[in-house]
Amino acid sequence: MLELEVPSMSGAGLEGPDLLSSLQRSRGQLLGRMSRELAQCSGRYDVFRCLGRVALPELGGWCDLDVLQDGVLQRVAAFRAPHGQVHGPPGGPPSPLAWRVARSGSPELHQGLSEQVALLLSPEEENLPRIQEAGLLDCMAVPLWLAGQLIGVISFASREPELRLDGAALALAEDLAGCVALALEADRLRQELEHQAADFKTLLDVIPVGIGIARDRECQHIQQNRWFARLHGLPLDSNISLSAPDGERQPIRYRDAQGRTLPSEELPMQRAVTTGQEVLDVELDLEVQGARRGTLVISAVPLFDASHRPRGAIGTIQDVTARKRAMEAQRFLAESSAVLSSSLDPEQTSRTLVRLCVPALATLAMFCGRRPDGALGLVSMSHADPSLQPLADEMARTLVISEEHPVHELIATGLPRLIPVVKEAFSWTLRNGPSERFGIRSVMLIPLATSQGVAGVLALGSTDRTYTEDDFTFAKEYAAHATYAIDNARLYREARDAVALRDEFLGIAGHELRTPLTALKLGLQRLVRESAALGDEDAERLSKWAATCQRQGERLGRLVGDLLDVSRITSGRLPMVLEEMDLAALVEEVAARMRPELEKVGCSLVLKLRSPLAGRWDRSRLDQVLSNLLANAMKYGPGRPIEVSASSTPEGVCVRVQDEGIGISPRDQARIFGRFERAVSERHYGGLGLGLWISQQIVSQLGGHIRVESEQGRGSSFTIELPRWVED
Ligand code: ADP
C-alpha cells in the first residue's frame, strides 16, 4: 500500500476560488498531463504516485485507490493533503463508499453533508471521530473499468469550501480513472511479457535440445541456447552461424551421410529462410576444429514478418550419436549372429568370430581356446590391416600360450577384463606376441562361457582407441552371441559324431548278427528236411516248429538287413547292381513267394500286370521294395484283398500296391517316408519304421519316386514310378 503526503497545491496562482474555474479551464490540460506522466511510468506504484501527484490538488485533499483482487476490494494507495488539513486513515480497509461503487459499478457524488461524508469514508467506527474532525464537505468515488471489467475504485474528498466537488469534478475523475485503468493494464501486460520472456529464457536454458535463433534473412547471427553450445563445445555467446561475418565464424563443419561438407546455404536454418518451408530431421555429422563430435538431427522452421516474408529461422538440434551407435550395435549384432550361425564348424565359427570384430570393434582380434590337439593356444586371429593378416595367421598356427598367461585365469574364473590403457610391457600378451608387434594400446578380454564351461577367450585390442565401459558392454554382448553360435556348432558336431558312431555301430552289429543268423537258417532248413523224412506224428510236430523258427529267422534276417541298409544309406554306400530285367516277372515272383503268408492272414491277392515290363534296374533292391509294400499291405489290412498292378507309362513303368486296410491320415502321409517314422501304435503293430524310408531311398537311386494315396479306414495305395533305363 502506498501512503503519501502530496506536496501542497501545485502552481502558486491556483489557490482559493480560482481553483474550480482553473479546473474547468484546464481539464483538457490536466488529462494531457496525466497521460504524459502515465506514459513515463514503469510499474504500478509509479502509476499510483502519478495519480496522487496529478489528481490530488485538483480534486481535493483526499484520494484513495482500491483495487479488486480475487473479487475482494483492497486498498493499494492513499493520498492526503499535507499539514494535517485532511485527517483520516490513509491505510486500512476500503471505505464503505468504495465498496458501494464496487458493487454498483456506478460513480457516486455526495455533497455538503459532512456527517454523511464522514460515515461514507470511515471504514471502521473508531476512525469516525478523526474523519468527522477533518470536516470534509464533499466526497465522490468512480469505478475503474477495463475491457468491461471492474478492476477497482478511486475515491476523492474535499474539505475546502472553495473546492467543492460537483458534476464536472466527477466527470474529470471518471476520465482520470480511465487513464489509470489503461496504465495499470499496460503495466500488467508489460509484466506478463517480462514473465513470459523469463520463462522462455529458462526453458531455453534447461531444455536438453539445442536451439538456435536467427533473426536475419541470411542467418548471419545465430543465437544459441546452452544445450546448443554444449553440443558444439563452444562458448554460449559465440555466433555459430556458418554464414557469420568473417572473424565471428567458428571452426564448425557439418557433413552428410556421404561425408560431404555442407555449404552454409544448404544448412537447415538457411534453407528454411530461403524456401519459407520447414526443414525436418536432417541427419548430419558435426565436426568442430577437425574433430568429430557426433551425429545430429537438425530441423528448422522459418520465422515470418507481418507481411509473411521470412525474417529468420529457429533451428532445433538433437544429439543422436548414442541412439545411432545403439542402432548400429544392434545391426552389427544381428548381422554377426546370422553370419556366426551360418557355419556349424567350430573352427570356421571362431575364425568368423574374430574376423567380424575388425575394424568395427578392434584393430586386432584373437580367439584363444583349445586347439584340436587339446593345448590352449591361439585358434584364430584377425587384423584390420589386410597386409598384416598373413602374419596373424602364422601366429595363430604357431603360438602356444604359456602356463602363467592370464588367459588361463580368465578361463578358470570366466570373468571378463577391460584394460583401457595398457601400461606395462603387455604382461597379458604372448611372449614376443601380438601387442608388441602390433602396438596395441587398449584391450578387452572376454571369456566365452558355454554350457560346458569356458570355450575360450576373445581378446580385442585397439591401436588408436581407448576402450570405454560402453565398448566393454557391447563386446560382452557380442561375445554372448558368439558363444551361442560356438556352442551350437559344438553341439552340432557332437550330435553328428554321435550319429556317425551309431551308424557305424549298426553296420558292425548287422554284419556280426548276420553270420550266426546264416548258420542258424541253414541249420533250421536241414532240421525241417530231416524231420519231414521221419514221417511219424512227433516228426510232423517237430517239422511245424522248425518251420515257425525258420520264418522267425527270416524275419530277423530282414530286420538285420534293414539296420545294415540304414548304415549304408547314411554313409552314402547303397550300391546298385543294374541288370536287364522284366519287372512284371519280378512282381509275380515276389507274389508267389509271399502267397503262403498272404493266405495265412486271409488276404486275397489280385495281380494286374501288363508284361513284359523290361528295363534296367537292381533286381534284389526292387524285390526288397515290393516285398516291403506287400508285407505292409498284409500287416495293415489283414483279411482284406490286395491288388498289385504294373504297367508302362510314357516315362517308364508304374507299379501300384493297393490294400483295403486301416489307411493313413493326411498328416501322417507326409512323414511316413522318413527314417524311423511310424503312424501306428507300437502296442498294436511291430516294425522299425524303416521299410518305407529304405524303399524311397532305393527308388530315388533308381531315378524314380514313390507316393501314397490313402484315406483313413479305407485302405492305402502306394505307387512307384520308375524310368526304364538308369545310367550306371
Ligand atoms: P513299419 O515297419 O512301421 O511298417 P514302414 O516304414 O514300412 O515301417 O511304414 C511306416 C509307417 O507307415 C507304418 O508304421 C504305418 O504307420 C504306415 N504304413 C505303411 N504302409 C501302410 C499301409 N499299407 N497301410 C497303413 N499304414 C501303412
Side-chain angles (χ1 to χ4, degrees):
M1 223 252 343
L2 193 68
E3 294 177 24
L4 272 188
E5 279 212 338
V6 184
S8 54
M9 309 287 177
S10 60
L14 292 175
E15 282 176 23
D18 289 345
L19 276 173
L20 191 56
S21 57
S22 149
L23 175 65
Q24 283 159 348
R25 276 199 314 273
S26 63
R27 187 173 157 193
Q29 285 175 1
L30 188 84
L31 285 173
R33 186 179 149 214
M34 183 80 175
S35 315
R36 278 195 304 280
E37 293 208 13
L38 284 174
Q40 306 295 318
C41 290
S42 68
R44 49 200 260 127
Y45 286 101
D46 252 11
V47 174
F48 302 158
R49 258 186 230 107
C50 176
L51 171 70
R53 207 166 45 240
V54 178
L56 203 57
E58 307 292 348
L59 292 172
W62 173 295
C63 174
D64 284 341
L65 178 58
D66 303 302
V67 296
L68 268 177
Q69 274 167 8
D70 303 324
V72 180
L73 202 59
Q74 293 195 351
R75 174 70 49 84
V76 290
F79 307 96
R80 302 287 180 263
H83 319 307
Q85 290 164 332
V86 179
H87 298 286
S95 67
L97 176 65
W99 274 110
R100 279 168 54 149
V101 171
R103 275 187 214 106
S104 68
S106 312
E108 286 191 27
L109 170 66
H110 299 273
Q111 292 175 303
L113 296 165
S114 87
E115 186 56 28
Q116 194 195 349
V117 167
L119 279 171
L120 282 170
L121 291 179
S122 73
E124 284 138 1
E125 229 173 279
E126 65 216 47
N127 296 322
L128 192 60
R130 284 173 61 204
I131 294 175
Q132 282 167 335
E133 199 182 302
L136 293 165
L137 287 175
D138 305 323
C139 69
M140 62 181 181
V142 290
L144 276 173
W145 288 106
L146 187 74
Q149 294 260 339
L150 189 121
I151 61 163
V153 177
I154 310 177
S155 315
F156 298 93
S158 164
R159 66 184 283 275
E160 310 291 335
E162 307 82 6
L163 191 86
R164 302 298 299 268
L165 300 180
D166 58 4
L170 190 67
L172 177 61
E174 281 185 292
D175 288 347
L176 287 180
C179 293
V180 169
L182 277 179
L184 287 176
E185 178 62 2
D187 181 63
R188 192 187 62 77
L189 289 175
R190 187 180 50 76
Q191 256 185 37
E192 202 173 290
L193 205 65
E194 272 173 17
H195 287 154
Q196 280 181 5
D199 293 351
F200 183 60
K201 189 176 172 304
T202 311
L203 178 74
L204 284 183
D205 282 351
V206 298
I207 195 168
V209 174
I211 295 179
I213 304 176
R215 295 191 176 84
D216 60 295
R217 278 188 59 81
E218 282 71 38
C219 295
Q220 284 194 314
H221 297 275
I222 299 182
Q223 203 185 334
Q224 56 181 337
N225 72 341
R226 276 183 212 285
W227 199 265
F228 199 119
R230 199 176 123 175
L231 288 180
H232 286 72
L234 293 169
L236 186 59
D237 57 0
S238 53
N239 178 3
I240 40 83
S241 170
L242 284 195
S243 40
D246 289 346
E248 283 182 33
R249 210 167 306 145
Q250 301 297 324
I252 309 170
R253 268 175 214 252
Y254 297 98
R255 292 183 191 275
D256 63 13
Q258 285 70 44
R260 187 176 67 96
T261 302
L262 262 65
S264 61
E265 63 275 13
E266 283 185 35
L267 291 170
M269 286 178 72
Q270 278 83 346
R271 266 170 53 204
V273 183
T274 327
T275 60
Q277 308 277 332
E278 58 183 14
V279 179
L280 296 178
D281 301 331
V282 181
E283 193 175 298
L284 296 172
D285 277 344
L286 168 68
E287 228 182 73
V288 179
Q289 267 163 346
R292 190 176 176 277
R293 283 187 72 86
T295 308
L296 307 176
V297 168
I298 308 181
S299 297
V301 287
L303 296 172
F304 296 102
D305 61 16
S307 11
H308 205 72
R309 277 194 312 256
R311 62 174 170 86
I314 291 190
T316 61
I317 296 195
Q318 272 175 294
D319 185 359
V320 293
T321 317
R323 200 196 319 160
K324 210 175 159 208
R325 198 176 290 157
M327 273 167 57
E328 276 167 7
Q330 281 309 320
R331 197 179 317 132
F332 178 79
L333 285 178
E335 283 170 10
S336 59
S337 290
V339 177
L340 282 166
S341 314
S342 64
S343 162
L344 287 167
D345 171 37
E347 277 76 46
Q348 171 68 38
T349 307
S350 78
R351 276 197 297 279
T352 312
L353 163 75
V354 295
R355 184 173 49 76
L356 289 175
C357 292
V358 293
L361 265 178
T363 319
L364 177 72
M366 305 185 287
F367 180 64
C368 309
R370 299 269 165 217
R371 290 174 165 172
D373 60 7
L376 191 64
L378 260 183
V379 180
S380 48
M381 189 164 166
S382 188
H383 197 282
D385 178 354
S387 68
L388 291 172
Q389 191 55 44
L391 179 61
D393 289 342
E394 172 62 20
M395 284 185 168
R397 262 197 308 279
T398 53
L399 277 171
V400 176
I401 299 172
S402 65
E403 277 303 311
E404 318 80 62
H405 197 278
V407 162
H408 287 278
E409 186 193 317
L410 264 104
I411 287 188
T413 62
L415 295 174
R417 254 170 84 181
L418 165 68
I419 308 169
V421 182
V422 179
K423 291 193 199 84
E424 314 146 40
F426 314 122
S427 58
W428 65 275
T429 58
L430 311 159
R431 200 173 301 283
N432 300 320
S435 66
E436 278 151 297
R437 299 206 189 177
F438 295 116
I440 300 299
R441 284 175 35 195
S442 192
V443 168
M444 295 189 281
L445 298 172
I446 297 136
L448 269 58
T450 70
S451 53
Q452 303 285 300
V454 178
V457 173
L458 175 66
L460 302 173
S462 179
T463 51
D464 53 358
R465 279 168 63 177
T466 303
Y467 287 132
T468 61
E469 280 297 333
D470 279 354
D471 295 320
F472 193 39
T473 307
F474 178 66
K476 283 189 282 190
E477 203 169 330
Y478 171 68
H481 282 245
T483 306
Y484 179 71
I486 285 184
D487 217 16
N488 245 3
R490 181 186 58 77
L491 288 172
Y492 174 76
R493 183 143 89 174
E494 279 175 17
R496 204 186 47 193
D497 290 352
V499 168
L501 199 68
R502 186 200 62 193
D503 289 347
E504 195 184 342
F505 168 77
L506 283 180
I508 295 167
H511 277 294
E512 288 301 310
L513 289 170
R514 224 180 204 181
T515 321
L517 247 180
T518 315
L520 191 68
K521 266 183 323 311
L522 285 174
L524 279 169
Q525 272 168 11
R526 191 154 173 194
L527 196 61
V528 169
R529 261 199 323 272
E530 286 183 10
S531 62
L534 289 175
D536 59 19
E537 212 177 281
D538 286 344
E540 198 180 318
R541 235 186 21 254
L542 190 67
S543 141
K544 242 183 180 171
W545 274 110
T548 309
C549 291
Q550 207 178 0
R551 271 203 309 280
Q552 292 305 324
E554 270 159 18
R555 188 162 167 236
L556 192 61
R558 277 201 300 277
L559 290 173
V560 169
D562 280 356
L563 290 180
L564 260 175
D565 283 346
V566 172
S567 94
R568 286 192 190 111
I569 293 169
T570 48
S571 60
R573 289 179 285 111
L574 185 69
M576 292 284 143
V577 182
L578 302 181
E579 60 181 292
E580 302 271 332
M581 57 172 281
D582 176 5
L583 186 60
L586 179 68
V587 173
E588 276 173 345
E589 195 183 313
V590 172
R593 193 178 65 232
M594 295 184 73
R595 207 164 283 278
E597 281 177 69
L598 285 160
E599 277 168 12
K600 204 164 162 249
V601 294
C603 289
S604 59
L605 177 67
V606 178
L607 297 183
K608 290 187 177 172
L609 309 173
R610 183 88 35 96
S611 52
L613 291 172
R616 210 168 120 78
W617 301 293
D618 183 315
R619 176 186 292 276
S620 80
R621 288 295 177 190
L622 279 186
D623 186 321
Q624 189 179 349
V625 172
L626 291 169
S627 309
N628 179 45
L629 292 181
L630 258 180
N632 278 352
M634 276 193 278
K635 186 157 82 173
Y636 301 111
R640 314 287 307 161
I642 301 170
E643 183 184 291
V644 181
S645 56
S647 57
S648 306
T649 63
E651 291 80 30
V653 294
C654 166
V655 184
R656 179 167 298 136
V657 180
Q658 210 166 340
D659 63 55
E660 294 180 12
I662 58 170
I664 308 161
S665 73
R667 206 165 53 121
D668 289 332
Q669 288 174 32
R671 63 180 181 89
I672 51 172
F673 291 98
R675 193 163 46 153
F676 304 120
E677 291 290 354
R678 307 183 70 242
V680 283
S681 105
E682 294 160 27
R683 280 197 293 141
H684 298 112
Y685 298 95
L688 298 176
L690 286 172
L692 286 181
W693 180 65
I694 295 171
S695 299
Q696 191 193 42
Q697 300 292 322
I698 293 170
V699 171
S700 75
Q701 274 211 36
L702 290 170
H705 48 264
I706 179 168
R707 64 171 196 276
V708 63
E709 283 145 286
S710 180
E711 212 178 308
Q712 243 177 336
R714 311 192 69 164
S716 310
S717 165
F718 286 85
T719 307
I720 300 166
E721 281 163 331
L722 284 172
R724 281 177 194 268
W725 313 109
V726 176
E727 299 288 320
D728 278 334

